[in-house]
Amino acid sequence: MSGEHSDAELLARHVAGDPDAFGELFARHRDRLWAVALRTMGNPDDAADGLQEGMIAAFRRAGSFRGDAAVTTWLHRVVVNACLDRLRAMKVRRAEPLPDDLEERADRGSLVSSTDAGLDPAELTVADERRRMVLAALRSLTPDQRAALVLVDMEGYSVAEAAQMLDVAEGTVKSTRTSAARWSGGSDLSAARTVRRR
């Protein structure tokens, strides 16, 4: 049954009362949605909460989908916004930095490349150091900067797609990424493209 219906058709079927349509839609996109939530939140526990809140919101608000963007763009926007809302609420509740054990968790989610097995130990060491640099740089960013950087530089979305997902102008995404590079020292974030999900 998977693959027979487009994303828009599945969303319409969900709105019409099909109990399985939203689950199929989520199953199609869960890996990328999880990767965005994980990189935006910084740790699996908070990412799981952000993704869950985003999917609950999408489930409930599916009828308000206008079709101005692709369904997957809309889903990413809902998840990113849920994650950013959680980060803002967490900042108000407590002023704690992201966990220090991000490097230990770096082998989870989409940070691990499917091609790592073919690399020699020296290349693995360089790749591991690159991941550490990117994770350290991500920890130094504001949630909005992190979201823009993750979507464009790590997940491979265009600036236009990221702007739609974040519900901001394209120029805002560009300037946010520039500010993020400046804020983090620049060179660390240049490695983000090599850590991107493959």
Side-chain angles (χ1 to χ4, degrees):
M1 181 168 169
S2 181
E4 291 180 11
H5 302 284
S6 71
D7 291 346
E9 289 170 335
L10 285 173
L11 194 60
R13 287 177 54 202
H14 163 67
V15 171
D18 183 334
D20 300 321
F22 193 83
E24 185 177 338
L25 182 63
F26 174 68
R28 256 185 216 174
H29 301 290
R30 71 176 159 227
D31 291 342
R32 287 202 76 185
L33 293 170
W34 170 250
V36 168
L38 181 60
R39 288 181 174 149
T40 303
M41 297 303 293
N43 70 72
D45 293 333
D46 291 333
D49 291 342
L51 180 58
Q52 179 177 332
E53 288 173 10
M55 288 295 90
I56 289 170
F59 184 90
R60 290 178 178 162
R61 294 190 313 219
S64 68
F65 175 69
R66 297 184 312 254
D68 297 341
V71 172
T72 185
T73 301
W74 176 73
L75 288 172
H76 277 77
R77 177 188 300 171
V78 172
V79 169
V80 167
N81 285 339
C83 289
L84 292 175
D85 288 347
R86 284 190 64 73
L87 286 170
R88 289 181 191 112
M90 289 166 48
K91 187 175 181 179
V92 169
R93 279 187 237 128
R94 63 174 195 255
E96 295 176 21
L98 291 172
D100 291 332
D101 63 348
L102 278 178
E103 287 82 18
E104 294 171 23
R105 300 171 189 235
D107 61 344
R108 300 182 191 167
S110 66
L111 287 176
V112 174
S113 167
S114 60
T115 61
D116 284 353
L119 298 176
D120 71 36
E123 290 172 326
L124 287 173
T125 301
V126 170
D128 186 51
E129 181 57 27
R130 232 183 242 132
R131 280 187 197 96
R132 285 191 189 134
M133 289 170 44
V134 169
L135 290 170
L138 284 173
R139 283 194 304 264
S140 73
L141 302 175
T142 67
D144 292 328
Q145 291 171 330
R146 189 178 317 131
L149 186 97
V150 163
L151 290 171
V152 176
D153 294 293
M154 299 180 83
E155 290 299 315
Y157 289 102
S158 70
V159 170
E161 290 170 320
Q164 281 186 319
M165 289 177 203
L166 297 172
D167 200 22
V168 297
E170 289 181 36
T172 302
V173 172
K174 290 177 185 176
S175 65
T176 298
R177 288 177 56 237
T178 301
S179 297
R182 212 176 297 122
W183 174 258
S184 68
S187 61
D188 291 347
L189 294 178
S190 65
R193 291 192 186 280
T194 61
V195 180
R196 180 191 306 174
R197 177 188 162 140
R198 294 182 172 107

